[in-house]
Amino acid sequence: MTQSEAAVAAAAAAKRVEAFYEAHPYPPAVDDLEGYARKWDDRRRRAESHLFWPAQPYRDDRCILVAGCGTTQAAKFAMRWPRAAVTGIDVSAASIAFAEDLKRRYGLGNLQLRQLPVERAAELERTFDLVVCTGVLHHLPDPDAGLRALRAVIAMQGALQLMVYAPYGRAGIYLIQDYCRRLGIEPTAAEVLDLIVSLRALPPDHPLVPVLRKSQDLLTREGLADALLNPQDRSYSVPELLDLLAGAGLKFGRWLRQAPYLPQCGGPAATPHAPRLMQLAVEERYAAMELFRGTMARHTVVAHRSDEREPAAAVDFDGDAWLNYVPVRAADTIAVREKLPPGAAAVLINRTHSYTDIYLPIDAVQEALLSAVDGSCTITQIASGIASLGAARDFFQQLWDYDQVVFDTSRSEGARRSAAP
Ligand SMILES: C[S@@+](CC[C@H](N)C(=O)[O-])C[C@H]1O[C@@H](n2cnc3c(N)ncnc32)[C@H](O)[C@@H]1O
Protein backbone atom coordinates (compact mmCIF):
# COMPACT_ATOMS: atom_id res chain seq x y z
CA MET A 1 0.00 0.00 0.00
CA THR A 2 1.36 3.46 -0.86
CA GLN A 3 1.46 6.21 1.76
CA SER A 4 -1.52 8.01 0.28
CA GLU A 5 -3.55 4.76 0.05
CA ALA A 6 -2.73 4.11 3.72
CA ALA A 7 -3.88 7.63 4.65
CA VAL A 8 -7.18 7.12 2.76
CA ALA A 9 -7.70 3.73 4.49
CA ALA A 10 -6.99 5.29 7.92
CA ALA A 11 -9.44 8.14 7.28
CA ALA A 12 -12.11 5.62 6.21
CA ALA A 13 -11.49 3.54 9.35
CA ALA A 14 -11.78 6.66 11.55
CA LYS A 15 -15.09 7.51 9.82
CA ARG A 16 -16.40 4.00 10.49
CA VAL A 17 -15.50 4.31 14.20
CA GLU A 18 -17.14 7.74 14.39
CA ALA A 19 -20.32 6.44 12.71
CA PHE A 20 -20.36 3.44 15.06
CA TYR A 21 -20.26 5.65 18.16
CA GLU A 22 -22.86 8.05 16.69
CA ALA A 23 -25.21 5.09 16.45
CA HIS A 24 -24.02 3.41 19.68
CA PRO A 25 -22.98 6.04 22.22
CA TYR A 26 -21.07 4.39 25.03
CA PRO A 27 -21.51 3.60 27.85
CA PRO A 28 -25.28 3.04 27.98
CA ALA A 29 -27.24 5.99 29.34
CA VAL A 30 -27.36 6.36 33.13
CA ASP A 31 -30.18 8.21 34.82
CA ASP A 32 -28.67 8.78 38.22
CA LEU A 33 -25.14 9.87 39.01
CA GLU A 34 -25.90 10.99 42.57
CA GLY A 35 -24.90 7.66 44.09
CA TYR A 36 -21.63 7.89 42.19
CA ALA A 37 -20.93 11.42 43.45
CA ARG A 38 -21.62 10.39 47.08
CA LYS A 39 -18.87 7.75 46.88
CA TRP A 40 -16.26 10.45 46.18
CA ASP A 41 -15.49 11.94 49.57
CA ASP A 42 -12.24 13.71 50.52
CA ARG A 43 -10.64 10.47 51.67
CA ARG A 44 -11.13 8.82 48.27
CA ARG A 45 -9.97 11.95 46.45
CA ARG A 46 -6.79 12.15 48.52
CA ALA A 47 -5.94 8.48 47.91
CA GLU A 48 -6.53 8.95 44.18
CA SER A 49 -4.35 12.07 44.10
CA HIS A 50 -1.38 10.33 45.77
CA LEU A 51 -1.77 7.35 43.49
CA PHE A 52 -1.04 9.66 40.53
CA TRP A 53 1.33 12.05 42.31
CA PRO A 54 2.93 10.48 45.40
CA ALA A 55 5.53 13.25 45.64
CA GLN A 56 3.11 16.16 45.43
CA PRO A 57 1.09 17.45 48.39
CA TYR A 58 -2.64 16.79 47.95
CA ARG A 59 -4.53 19.17 45.64
CA ASP A 60 -8.06 18.88 44.32
CA ASP A 61 -8.06 21.81 41.88
CA ARG A 62 -6.29 20.29 38.92
CA CYS A 63 -7.02 20.59 35.19
CA ILE A 64 -8.25 17.29 33.78
CA LEU A 65 -8.82 16.23 30.17
CA VAL A 66 -11.08 13.24 29.56
CA ALA A 67 -10.12 12.26 26.01
CA GLY A 68 -12.74 10.14 24.20
CA CYS A 69 -15.12 10.77 27.10
CA GLY A 70 -18.15 8.94 25.68
CA THR A 71 -21.52 9.69 27.28
CA THR A 72 -20.72 9.79 30.97
CA GLN A 73 -17.06 9.74 31.94
CA ALA A 74 -16.42 13.52 31.77
CA ALA A 75 -19.48 14.27 33.93
CA LYS A 76 -18.29 11.67 36.43
CA PHE A 77 -14.87 13.31 36.65
CA ALA A 78 -16.50 16.74 37.11
CA MET A 79 -18.60 15.30 39.95
CA ARG A 80 -15.78 13.47 41.67
CA TRP A 81 -13.49 16.53 41.48
CA PRO A 82 -15.83 19.50 42.07
CA ARG A 83 -12.92 21.97 42.44
CA ALA A 84 -11.12 20.75 39.31
CA ALA A 85 -11.56 22.16 35.79
CA VAL A 86 -12.62 19.22 33.61
CA THR A 87 -12.65 19.14 29.80
CA GLY A 88 -14.26 16.29 27.88
CA ILE A 89 -13.67 15.67 24.17
CA ASP A 90 -15.11 12.99 21.93
CA VAL A 91 -15.48 12.49 18.20
CA SER A 92 -19.12 11.43 18.60
CA ALA A 93 -21.67 14.28 18.59
CA ALA A 94 -24.26 11.94 20.16
CA SER A 95 -21.94 11.25 23.12
CA ILE A 96 -21.16 14.94 23.60
CA ALA A 97 -24.90 15.77 23.48
CA PHE A 98 -25.53 13.19 26.17
CA ALA A 99 -22.68 14.58 28.29
CA GLU A 100 -24.06 18.13 27.83
CA ASP A 101 -27.39 16.89 29.17
CA LEU A 102 -25.69 15.47 32.29
CA LYS A 103 -23.82 18.75 32.72
CA ARG A 104 -27.13 20.66 32.69
CA ARG A 105 -28.96 18.21 34.94
CA TYR A 106 -26.25 18.17 37.59
CA GLY A 107 -25.21 21.85 37.27
CA LEU A 108 -21.60 20.95 36.47
CA GLY A 109 -20.10 24.43 36.09
CA ASN A 110 -16.58 22.91 36.15
CA LEU A 111 -17.13 20.89 32.94
CA GLN A 112 -16.38 21.97 29.37
CA LEU A 113 -17.28 19.68 26.46
CA ARG A 114 -16.22 19.73 22.85
CA GLN A 115 -16.66 17.48 19.85
CA LEU A 116 -13.03 16.94 18.88
CA PRO A 117 -10.93 13.89 17.95
CA VAL A 118 -8.06 13.10 20.32
CA GLU A 119 -5.68 13.41 17.37
CA ARG A 120 -6.47 17.16 17.37
CA ALA A 121 -6.14 17.70 21.14
CA ALA A 122 -3.59 20.48 20.44
CA GLU A 123 -6.55 22.64 19.30
CA LEU A 124 -7.51 22.95 22.97
CA GLU A 125 -4.41 25.19 23.21
CA ARG A 126 -3.56 24.27 26.78
CA THR A 127 -2.05 21.53 28.89
CA PHE A 128 -3.59 19.39 31.63
CA ASP A 129 -2.39 17.99 34.96
CA LEU A 130 -4.20 14.75 34.22
CA VAL A 131 -5.21 13.25 30.88
CA VAL A 132 -7.60 10.32 31.13
CA CYS A 133 -8.04 8.13 28.07
CA THR A 134 -9.79 4.82 28.68
CA GLY A 135 -11.15 2.47 26.06
CA VAL A 136 -10.34 4.80 23.16
CA LEU A 137 -6.82 4.43 21.70
CA HIS A 138 -7.34 0.81 20.62
CA HIS A 139 -10.18 1.99 18.36
CA LEU A 140 -8.04 4.51 16.46
CA PRO A 141 -6.57 3.66 13.05
CA ASP A 142 -3.24 5.05 14.33
CA PRO A 143 -3.08 4.72 18.14
CA ASP A 144 0.55 5.92 18.18
CA ALA A 145 -0.48 9.23 16.59
CA GLY A 146 -3.40 9.53 19.03
CA LEU A 147 -1.12 8.98 22.02
CA ARG A 148 1.47 11.46 20.72
CA ALA A 149 -1.31 14.07 20.43
CA LEU A 150 -2.33 13.43 24.04
CA ARG A 151 1.26 13.46 25.25
CA ALA A 152 1.57 16.97 23.79
CA VAL A 153 -1.16 18.28 26.13
CA ILE A 154 0.13 16.70 29.36
CA ALA A 155 1.63 19.39 31.62
CA MET A 156 5.16 19.00 32.96
CA GLN A 157 4.79 16.81 36.13
CA GLY A 158 1.36 15.81 34.81
CA ALA A 159 0.00 12.28 34.48
CA LEU A 160 -1.81 10.11 31.97
CA GLN A 161 -4.32 7.41 32.92
CA LEU A 162 -4.56 5.10 29.94
CA MET A 163 -6.66 1.97 29.49
CA VAL A 164 -6.22 -0.25 26.46
CA TYR A 165 -7.45 -3.74 25.68
CA ALA A 166 -5.19 -6.69 26.48
CA PRO A 167 -5.07 -9.69 24.12
CA TYR A 168 -5.17 -12.92 26.11
CA GLY A 169 -8.30 -12.21 28.17
CA ARG A 170 -10.06 -11.14 24.98
CA ALA A 171 -9.36 -14.27 22.96
CA GLY A 172 -13.05 -15.30 23.06
CA ILE A 173 -14.10 -11.79 22.01
CA TYR A 174 -11.77 -11.90 18.99
CA LEU A 175 -13.15 -15.30 17.93
CA ILE A 176 -16.72 -14.01 17.93
CA GLN A 177 -15.73 -10.69 16.33
CA ASP A 178 -14.30 -12.70 13.43
CA TYR A 179 -17.38 -14.96 13.36
CA CYS A 180 -19.65 -11.87 13.15
CA ARG A 181 -17.48 -10.33 10.41
CA ARG A 182 -17.72 -13.50 8.32
CA LEU A 183 -21.50 -13.50 8.67
CA GLY A 184 -21.69 -9.79 7.79
CA ILE A 185 -23.52 -8.97 11.03
CA GLU A 186 -24.28 -5.26 11.33
CA PRO A 187 -24.67 -3.44 14.66
CA THR A 188 -28.42 -2.83 14.20
CA ALA A 189 -30.82 -3.38 17.11
CA ALA A 190 -32.30 -6.49 15.45
CA GLU A 191 -28.90 -8.01 14.67
CA VAL A 192 -27.68 -7.39 18.25
CA LEU A 193 -30.76 -9.16 19.63
CA ASP A 194 -30.17 -12.13 17.28
CA LEU A 195 -26.56 -12.20 18.42
CA ILE A 196 -27.58 -12.29 22.09
CA VAL A 197 -29.87 -15.26 21.38
CA SER A 198 -27.19 -17.02 19.31
CA LEU A 199 -24.52 -16.60 21.99
CA ARG A 200 -26.69 -18.59 24.41
CA ALA A 201 -25.92 -21.64 22.25
CA LEU A 202 -22.13 -21.31 22.58
CA PRO A 203 -20.45 -24.45 23.93
CA PRO A 204 -19.96 -23.99 27.69
CA ASP A 205 -16.17 -24.20 27.30
CA HIS A 206 -16.00 -21.59 24.51
CA PRO A 207 -13.44 -18.91 25.60
CA LEU A 208 -16.14 -16.20 25.42
CA VAL A 209 -18.41 -17.89 27.97
CA PRO A 210 -16.45 -16.99 31.15
CA VAL A 211 -15.98 -13.47 29.77
CA LEU A 212 -19.75 -13.09 29.32
CA ARG A 213 -20.34 -14.48 32.80
CA LYS A 214 -17.95 -12.06 34.49
CA SER A 215 -18.63 -8.85 32.59
CA GLN A 216 -21.55 -6.61 33.59
CA ASP A 217 -20.81 -4.57 30.49
CA LEU A 218 -21.37 -7.41 28.04
CA LEU A 219 -24.83 -7.98 29.49
CA THR A 220 -26.04 -4.71 27.96
CA ARG A 221 -26.86 -4.41 24.25
CA GLU A 222 -24.52 -1.40 23.93
CA GLY A 223 -21.71 -3.23 25.73
CA LEU A 224 -22.12 -6.29 23.55
CA ALA A 225 -22.14 -4.24 20.33
CA ASP A 226 -19.10 -2.27 21.53
CA ALA A 227 -17.14 -5.47 22.21
CA LEU A 228 -18.22 -7.73 19.36
CA LEU A 229 -19.26 -5.48 16.47
CA ASN A 230 -16.78 -2.62 16.78
CA PRO A 231 -15.32 -1.78 13.35
CA GLN A 232 -11.85 -1.14 14.73
CA ASP A 233 -10.22 -2.76 17.74
CA ARG A 234 -6.74 -3.94 18.64
CA SER A 235 -5.13 -4.97 21.88
CA TYR A 236 -1.76 -4.59 23.60
CA SER A 237 0.25 -7.14 25.51
CA VAL A 238 2.40 -5.75 28.35
CA PRO A 239 5.55 -5.41 26.17
CA GLU A 240 3.51 -3.83 23.35
CA LEU A 241 1.97 -1.35 25.77
CA LEU A 242 5.36 -0.39 27.21
CA ASP A 243 6.62 0.15 23.63
CA LEU A 244 3.53 2.24 22.81
CA LEU A 245 4.27 4.51 25.79
CA ALA A 246 7.98 4.83 25.03
CA GLY A 247 7.27 5.59 21.36
CA ALA A 248 5.08 8.52 22.40
CA GLY A 249 7.65 10.02 24.79
CA LEU A 250 6.02 8.66 27.93
CA LYS A 251 7.37 6.62 30.80
CA PHE A 252 5.57 3.98 32.79
CA GLY A 253 4.57 5.14 36.28
CA ARG A 254 2.53 2.27 37.72
CA TRP A 255 -0.40 0.02 37.02
CA LEU A 256 -3.58 1.57 38.35
CA ARG A 257 -4.01 -1.69 40.32
CA GLN A 258 -0.60 -3.29 40.51
CA ALA A 259 -0.93 -6.50 42.55
CA PRO A 260 -1.99 -8.72 39.60
CA TYR A 261 1.24 -7.73 37.79
CA LEU A 262 3.56 -8.47 40.73
CA PRO A 263 4.89 -12.03 41.21
CA GLN A 264 5.26 -11.36 44.95
CA CYS A 265 1.45 -11.06 45.28
CA GLY A 266 -1.00 -13.93 45.48
CA GLY A 267 -0.62 -17.41 43.97
CA PRO A 268 2.62 -16.95 41.97
CA ALA A 269 4.54 -16.08 45.18
CA ALA A 270 3.98 -19.62 46.47
CA THR A 271 5.17 -21.43 43.32
CA PRO A 272 8.65 -22.95 42.78
CA HIS A 273 9.16 -20.22 40.15
CA ALA A 274 8.84 -17.35 42.65
CA PRO A 275 12.62 -16.74 43.08
CA ARG A 276 13.19 -16.87 39.30
CA LEU A 277 10.33 -14.48 38.65
CA MET A 278 11.81 -12.02 41.14
CA GLN A 279 15.19 -12.18 39.38
CA LEU A 280 13.65 -10.85 36.16
CA ALA A 281 13.82 -7.16 35.23
CA VAL A 282 10.67 -5.47 36.46
CA GLU A 283 9.10 -5.10 32.95
CA GLU A 284 9.74 -8.82 32.34
CA ARG A 285 7.93 -9.64 35.59
CA TYR A 286 4.87 -7.73 34.39
CA ALA A 287 4.98 -9.56 31.05
CA ALA A 288 5.34 -12.92 32.80
CA MET A 289 2.40 -12.20 35.10
CA GLU A 290 0.18 -11.31 32.14
CA LEU A 291 1.01 -14.72 30.62
CA PHE A 292 0.62 -16.56 33.93
CA ARG A 293 -2.72 -14.97 34.81
CA GLY A 294 -3.94 -15.50 31.26
CA THR A 295 -7.26 -13.65 31.55
CA MET A 296 -6.30 -9.97 31.65
CA ALA A 297 -8.67 -8.26 29.21
CA ARG A 298 -7.42 -4.69 29.70
CA HIS A 299 -4.45 -2.82 31.10
CA THR A 300 -4.78 0.46 32.95
CA VAL A 301 -1.55 2.32 33.40
CA VAL A 302 -0.41 5.62 34.91
CA ALA A 303 2.31 7.26 32.81
CA HIS A 304 4.28 10.51 32.86
CA ARG A 305 6.20 12.56 30.32
CA SER A 306 9.64 11.08 29.83
CA ASP A 307 11.13 14.58 29.64
CA GLU A 308 9.99 15.65 33.12
CA ARG A 309 12.44 18.26 34.34
CA GLU A 310 12.74 16.82 37.85
CA PRO A 311 11.31 13.32 37.73
CA ALA A 312 9.59 12.64 41.05
CA ALA A 313 11.34 9.88 42.99
CA ALA A 314 9.43 6.60 42.64
CA VAL A 315 8.05 4.96 45.76
CA ASP A 316 11.06 3.01 46.94
CA PHE A 317 11.91 0.99 50.04
CA ASP A 318 15.64 0.54 49.37
CA GLY A 319 17.07 3.81 50.71
CA ASP A 320 15.67 5.60 53.73
CA ALA A 321 13.13 7.95 52.09
CA TRP A 322 10.32 5.57 53.12
CA LEU A 323 10.83 6.53 56.77
CA ASN A 324 9.00 9.78 55.99
CA TYR A 325 6.32 8.37 53.70
CA VAL A 326 2.78 9.04 54.92
CA PRO A 327 0.56 6.03 54.15
CA VAL A 328 -3.00 6.74 53.02
CA ARG A 329 -5.52 3.88 52.86
CA ALA A 330 -6.57 3.09 49.29
CA ALA A 331 -10.27 3.27 48.52
CA ASP A 332 -12.22 0.01 48.15
CA THR A 333 -10.09 -1.85 50.70
CA ILE A 334 -11.66 -3.99 53.39
CA ALA A 335 -10.44 -6.12 56.30
CA VAL A 336 -12.23 -9.46 56.62
CA ARG A 337 -12.29 -11.07 60.06
CA GLU A 338 -14.20 -14.28 59.40
CA LYS A 339 -12.91 -17.72 58.41
CA LEU A 340 -9.31 -16.56 58.89
CA PRO A 341 -6.21 -18.63 58.10
CA PRO A 342 -4.32 -19.82 61.24
CA GLY A 343 -2.46 -16.95 62.98
CA ALA A 344 -4.19 -14.19 61.01
CA ALA A 345 -5.95 -11.31 62.78
CA ALA A 346 -7.55 -10.18 59.50
CA VAL A 347 -7.33 -10.64 55.75
CA LEU A 348 -7.01 -7.52 53.61
CA ILE A 349 -8.76 -7.33 50.26
CA ASN A 350 -8.99 -4.64 47.62
CA ARG A 351 -12.46 -5.08 46.15
CA THR A 352 -11.37 -3.84 42.73
CA HIS A 353 -9.16 -6.94 42.28
CA SER A 354 -10.85 -9.67 40.31
CA TYR A 355 -8.26 -12.40 41.03
CA THR A 356 -9.31 -14.29 44.13
CA ASP A 357 -5.74 -15.26 45.11
CA ILE A 358 -4.86 -11.62 45.77
CA TYR A 359 -5.49 -11.14 49.49
CA LEU A 360 -3.15 -10.33 52.36
CA PRO A 361 -3.43 -12.07 55.74
CA ILE A 362 -2.06 -9.91 58.58
CA ASP A 363 -1.16 -10.68 62.20
CA ALA A 364 -2.05 -8.71 65.34
CA VAL A 365 1.04 -6.44 65.20
CA GLN A 366 0.40 -5.64 61.55
CA GLU A 367 -3.23 -4.94 62.37
CA ALA A 368 -2.07 -2.43 65.00
CA LEU A 369 0.20 -0.75 62.41
CA LEU A 370 -2.67 -0.55 59.94
CA SER A 371 -5.04 0.93 62.53
CA ALA A 372 -2.50 3.71 63.15
CA VAL A 373 -2.66 4.82 59.49
CA ASP A 374 -4.46 8.16 59.70
CA GLY A 375 -3.27 9.98 56.58
CA SER A 376 -0.96 12.28 58.54
CA CYS A 377 1.56 10.10 60.45
CA THR A 378 4.73 8.91 58.73
CA ILE A 379 5.78 5.25 58.76
CA THR A 380 8.36 6.11 61.45
CA GLN A 381 5.69 7.69 63.67
CA ILE A 382 3.29 4.80 63.08
CA ALA A 383 5.91 2.17 63.95
CA SER A 384 6.91 3.87 67.20
CA GLY A 385 5.88 1.67 70.14
CA ILE A 386 4.29 -0.97 67.86
CA ALA A 387 6.97 -2.64 65.73
CA SER A 388 10.61 -2.36 64.67
CA LEU A 389 11.33 -0.11 61.70
CA GLY A 390 12.40 -3.15 59.65
CA ALA A 391 9.10 -4.93 60.31
CA ALA A 392 7.16 -1.74 59.54
CA ARG A 393 9.07 -1.27 56.25
CA ASP A 394 8.33 -4.84 55.12
CA PHE A 395 4.67 -4.52 56.04
CA PHE A 396 4.10 -1.16 54.34
CA GLN A 397 5.86 -2.41 51.23
CA GLN A 398 3.44 -5.36 51.19
CA LEU A 399 0.48 -3.04 51.69
CA TRP A 400 1.73 -1.00 48.73
CA ASP A 401 2.22 -4.06 46.51
CA TYR A 402 -1.28 -5.31 47.36
CA ASP A 403 -2.94 -1.94 46.53
CA GLN A 404 -3.92 -1.42 50.15
CA VAL A 405 -2.21 1.95 50.55
CA VAL A 406 -0.76 4.78 48.53
CA PHE A 407 1.91 7.11 49.92
CA ASP A 408 2.24 10.83 50.30
CA THR A 409 6.01 10.97 49.82
CA SER A 410 6.16 14.77 49.72
CA ARG A 411 7.82 14.92 53.15
CA SER A 412 10.80 12.83 52.07
CA GLU A 413 14.02 14.52 50.99
CA GLY A 414 13.96 13.30 47.34
CA ALA A 415 10.39 14.53 46.84
CA ARG A 416 11.22 17.93 48.34
CA ARG A 417 14.13 18.26 45.91
CA SER A 418 11.98 17.36 42.86
CA ALA A 419 9.19 19.76 43.93
CA ALA A 420 11.68 22.64 44.29
CA PRO A 421 11.42 25.32 41.56
C1 LIG B 1 -15.59 2.53 24.45
S1 LIG B 1 -15.98 4.21 24.44
C2 LIG B 1 -15.19 4.75 25.95
C3 LIG B 1 -15.82 5.98 26.53
C4 LIG B 1 -15.19 6.49 27.83
N1 LIG B 1 -13.78 6.74 27.69
C5 LIG B 1 -15.41 5.50 28.95
O1 LIG B 1 -14.45 4.85 29.38
O2 LIG B 1 -16.55 5.41 29.41
C6 LIG B 1 -14.92 4.86 23.19
C7 LIG B 1 -15.14 6.34 22.94
O3 LIG B 1 -14.07 6.83 22.13
C8 LIG B 1 -14.63 7.75 21.20
N2 LIG B 1 -13.70 7.89 20.08
C9 LIG B 1 -13.40 7.01 19.11
N3 LIG B 1 -12.47 7.52 18.27
C10 LIG B 1 -12.18 8.76 18.75
C11 LIG B 1 -11.30 9.78 18.36
N4 LIG B 1 -10.51 9.65 17.29
N5 LIG B 1 -11.25 10.90 19.09
C12 LIG B 1 -12.05 11.07 20.18
N6 LIG B 1 -12.91 10.14 20.60
C13 LIG B 1 -12.97 9.00 19.89
C14 LIG B 1 -15.96 7.13 20.83
O4 LIG B 1 -16.83 8.07 20.25
C15 LIG B 1 -16.43 6.62 22.19
O5 LIG B 1 -17.19 7.59 22.86
Side-chain angles (χ1 to χ4, degrees):
M1 209 187 278
T2 65
Q3 249 186 348
S4 68
E5 281 168 347
V8 170
K15 276 277 157 229
R16 278 198 300 278
V17 173
E18 187 180 335
F20 179 85
Y21 283 109
E22 283 307 345
H24 304 275
Y26 184 93
V30 278
D31 283 330
D32 179 12
L33 284 183
E34 264 145 32
Y36 176 83
R38 271 196 301 276
K39 244 178 52 174
W40 278 87
D41 55 14
D42 260 338
R43 203 179 137 249
R44 186 177 278 266
R45 274 190 282 272
R46 181 149 184 243
E48 182 86 347
S49 175
H50 289 306
L51 189 145
F52 285 96
W53 299 281
Q56 296 181 26
Y58 172 53
R59 270 179 49 200
D60 63 356
D61 59 350
R62 298 188 186 263
C63 296
I64 302 174
L65 172 66
V66 187
C69 57
T71 53
T72 321
Q73 195 180 28
K76 284 183 164 178
F77 268 82
M79 288 177 115
R80 61 158 104 160
W81 295 104
R83 288 182 11 92
V86 179
T87 302
I89 60 170
D90 199 287
V91 78
S92 147
S95 299
I96 292 293
F98 193 91
E100 286 285 5
D101 186 50
L102 289 177
K103 173 179 169 172
R104 243 186 332 271
R105 271 168 41 203
Y106 290 100
L108 300 173
N110 62 338
L111 175 61
Q112 297 298 319
L113 294 158
R114 185 158 159 200
Q115 186 186 2
L116 186 73
V118 297
E119 294 89 337
R120 286 171 39 204
E123 290 178 29
L124 296 167
E125 294 184 337
R126 51 177 303 189
T127 58
F128 298 86
D129 302 313
L130 175 63
V131 173
V132 179
C133 184
T134 64
V136 181
L137 272 197
H138 45 235
H139 295 307
L140 306 189
D142 186 349
D144 301 81
L147 189 56
R148 278 196 303 273
L150 292 180
R151 152 71 173 73
V153 296
I154 301 174
M156 204 51 97
Q157 314 300 340
L160 169 74
Q161 176 182 341
L162 177 70
M163 184 279 272
V164 288
Y165 290 151
Y168 310 118
R170 286 176 63 82
I173 288 181
Y174 291 126
L175 295 179
I176 298 299
Q177 275 188 3
D178 194 13
Y179 164 87
C180 291
R181 217 170 286 128
R182 285 163 190 270
L183 266 68
I185 294 173
E186 295 289 333
T188 62
E191 293 259 53
V192 173
L193 283 179
D194 281 353
L195 180 58
I196 290 171
V197 174
S198 307
L199 291 179
R200 290 195 194 121
L202 283 178
D205 49 358
H206 188 287
L208 186 65
V209 172
V211 181
L212 288 174
R213 217 179 18 244
K214 277 194 255 164
S215 163
Q216 289 296 319
D217 195 37
L218 284 174
L219 297 178
T220 65
R221 271 182 270 173
E222 293 86 344
L224 198 74
D226 192 54
L228 298 180
L229 302 175
N230 208 300
Q232 176 90 18
D233 156 349
R234 63 151 298 177
S235 56
Y236 290 86
S237 65
V238 164
E240 288 168 340
L241 172 55
L242 298 178
D243 284 350
L244 174 76
L245 292 175
L250 289 157
K251 64 172 190 266
F252 176 88
R254 58 166 289 159
W255 303 105
L256 193 73
R257 305 281 171 259
Q258 63 192 358
Y261 296 88
L262 304 182
Q264 64 269 38
C265 294
T271 67
H273 291 165
R276 279 165 74 167
L277 286 163
M278 293 307 287
Q279 275 164 17
L280 297 175
V282 80
E283 295 81 6
E284 285 297 318
R285 290 183 210 167
Y286 301 152
M289 283 302 94
E290 177 180 36
L291 297 169
F292 186 88
R293 294 204 169 273
T295 55
M296 291 180 178
R298 52 180 63 183
H299 299 301
T300 308
V301 70
V302 178
H304 304 274
R305 292 170 56 141
S306 40
D307 65 344
E308 274 183 338
R309 269 194 296 277
E310 289 285 351
V315 169
D316 177 11
F317 288 87
D318 284 342
D320 56 9
W322 59 271
L323 289 162
N324 290 319
Y325 289 177
V326 175
V328 174
R329 285 303 302 269
D332 301 307
T333 50
I334 51 168
V336 177
R337 292 192 171 75
E338 285 144 29
K339 296 189 188 155
L340 296 173
V347 164
L348 305 182
I349 291 173
N350 182 317
R351 281 181 294 183
T352 61
H353 290 153
S354 55
Y355 293 104
T356 52
D357 62 309
I358 298 180
Y359 59 86
L360 181 63
I362 58 171
D363 62 25
V365 173
Q366 293 170 329
E367 193 181 28
L369 288 170
L370 187 65
S371 319
V373 170
D374 62 0
S376 62
C377 290
T378 63
I379 294 180
T380 306
Q381 291 164 336
I382 290 170
S384 159
I386 302 181
S388 71
L389 281 174
R393 182 199 55 216
D394 293 349
F395 179 54
F396 280 102
Q397 184 163 14
Q398 267 196 317
L399 290 174
W400 163 254
D401 289 345
Y402 276 82
D403 299 309
Q404 289 290 324
V405 293
V406 293
F407 294 110
D408 174 353
T409 70
S410 61
R411 294 199 212 162
S412 67
E413 204 36 53
R416 275 201 295 272
R417 267 200 310 275
S418 71

